[in-house]
């Protein structure tokens, strides 16, 4: 195939990359909702009790929010929550169940992939989970077997291609 | 080089985008001459040493006003353009 041709897009869910040291897979069925404005009020309404995570913090399987900015976060839930889009009471919801994608990288090679992709001092922490990974703007969380990246859906293919060469 | 975002903390320079020197846009637009507009767009002080610069933190999208030493790359102060 010529390098100027588009590669066929991979699956949105399932195994994206399988390499000797690590695998990258996209979990199925997650709910994703962007919230803006009063984050505490938004979470109380959409996902009560969900923790707000900063950079490379351990992400539970249950509902959690990944902080992007002072007034912006991505709420990740085990299934879509069907939030009503738009502003109310100082906060705004935007349903992005299929607008964002999640990649879970696992395996012995995962720490090396993380170091290749990300220049941030992960031990120092940050209130924002948003970071550049391989040049892509992602939200980075820690998982039991490695790390997860949340990325706007259009970047999934390019990010998968980068992971394939990591 | 590390730059500092008041919200996110220290981050690699590649996360930031330089937006330019802080300066007032000439107004009103209808009365601005081509020369004044060109000067606003293209003529910069570009000092060696202490400089005021506007930067965007691309991951959180905060717009920052930094005072930096352009000779040593030391950040002397940084403020967010948004309320805390
Ligand atoms: Zn920031």
């Amino acid at each position: 195939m010529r390098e100027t041709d588009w590669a066929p897009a991979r699956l949105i869910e399932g195994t994206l990359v399988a390499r000797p040291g690590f695998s990258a897979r996209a979990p199925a069925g997650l709910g994703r909702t962007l919230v803006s404005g009063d984050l505490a009020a938004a979470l109380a309404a959409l996902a009560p009790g969900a923790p707000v995570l900063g950079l490379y913090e351990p992400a539970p399987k249950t509902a959690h929010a990944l902080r992007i900015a002072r007034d912006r976060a991505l709420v990740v839930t085990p299934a879509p929550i069907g939030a009503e889009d738009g502003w109310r009471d100082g906060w705004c919801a935007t349903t992005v169940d299929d607008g964002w994608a999640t990649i879970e990288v696992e395996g012995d090679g995962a720490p090396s992939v993380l170091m290749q992709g990300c220049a941030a001092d992960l031990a120092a922490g940050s209130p924002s989970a948003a970071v550049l990974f391989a040049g892509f703007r992602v939200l980075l969380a820690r998982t039991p077997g490695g790390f997860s990246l949340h990325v706007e859906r259009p970047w999934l293919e390019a990010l998968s291609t980068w992971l394939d060469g990591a | 080089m590390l730059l500092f975002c008041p919200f996110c903390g220290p981050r690699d320079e590649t996360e930031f985008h330089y937006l330019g020197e802080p300066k007032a846009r000439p107004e009103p637009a209808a009365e601005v001459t081509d020369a004044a507009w060109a000067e606003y767009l293209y003529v910069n002080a570009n000092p060696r040493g202490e400089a005021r610069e506007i930067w965007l933190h691309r991951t959180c999208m905060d717009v920052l006003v930094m005072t930096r030493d352009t000779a040593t790359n030391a950040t002397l102060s940084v403020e967010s353009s948004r309320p805390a």
Side-chain angles (χ1 to χ4, degrees):
Chain A
M1 196 176 91
R2 289 180 304 152
E3 64 183 9
T4 50
D5 289 343
W6 290 96
R10 286 164 229 238
L11 301 171
I12 299 175
E13 292 168 344
T15 300
L16 302 168
V17 173
R19 294 277 306 278
F22 70 94
S23 68
R25 50 180 300 281
L30 295 183
R32 301 176 187 87
T33 311
L34 281 171
V35 292
S36 305
D38 185 339
L39 297 185
L43 284 173
L46 298 178
V52 179
L53 308 180
L55 185 65
Y56 194 50
E57 288 189 45
K61 288 283 182 198
T62 50
H64 56 279
L66 295 152
R67 189 96 179 256
I68 300 171
R70 295 164 199 276
D71 58 354
R72 205 141 193 258
L74 178 71
V75 181
V76 179
T77 46
I81 56 174
E84 189 187 333
D85 285 357
W87 283 97
R88 85 229 57 175
D89 305 326
W91 59 274
C92 179
T94 307
T95 299
V96 289
D97 293 329
D98 58 1
W100 282 60
T102 303
I103 302 179
E104 292 178 343
V105 179
E106 294 189 335
D108 295 344
S112 159
V113 175
L114 184 54
M115 280 189 285
Q116 282 182 60
C118 183
D121 182 354
L122 300 178
S126 168
S128 171
V131 72
L132 279 196
F133 181 94
F136 302 97
R137 182 169 167 260
V138 306
L139 309 181
L140 173 66
R142 190 191 307 219
T143 62
F147 61 95
S148 62
L149 305 170
H150 300 259
V151 65
E152 288 177 23
R153 175 69 183 87
W155 298 115
L156 180 64
E157 178 60 29
L159 185 49
S160 300
T161 300
W162 184 90
L163 286 166
D164 230 349
Chain B
M1 180 171 80
L2 284 177
L3 292 175
F4 186 85
C5 169
F7 178 65
C8 303
R11 294 292 188 99
D12 192 76
E13 64 174 303
T14 54
E15 292 195 357
F16 297 81
H17 183 70
Y18 176 66
L19 295 180
E21 296 179 350
K23 47 188 170 180
R25 185 167 71 182
E27 302 277 8
E31 293 169 23
V32 176
T33 63
D34 288 354
W37 187 247
E39 173 155 336
Y40 165 69
L41 288 182
Y42 302 116
V43 179
N44 291 299
N46 204 21
R48 183 182 192 280
E50 188 172 315
R52 296 265 288 169
E53 301 174 335
I54 303 175
W55 289 78
L56 172 70
H57 189 202
R58 295 162 57 202
T59 55
C60 78
M61 302 303 276
D62 246 18
V63 175
L64 313 173
V65 182
M66 290 191 205
T67 305
R68 292 193 328 116
D69 187 316
T70 57
T72 64
N73 277 331
T75 302
L76 305 174
S77 71
V78 56
E79 308 144 43
S80 172
S81 63
R82 306 174 66 195

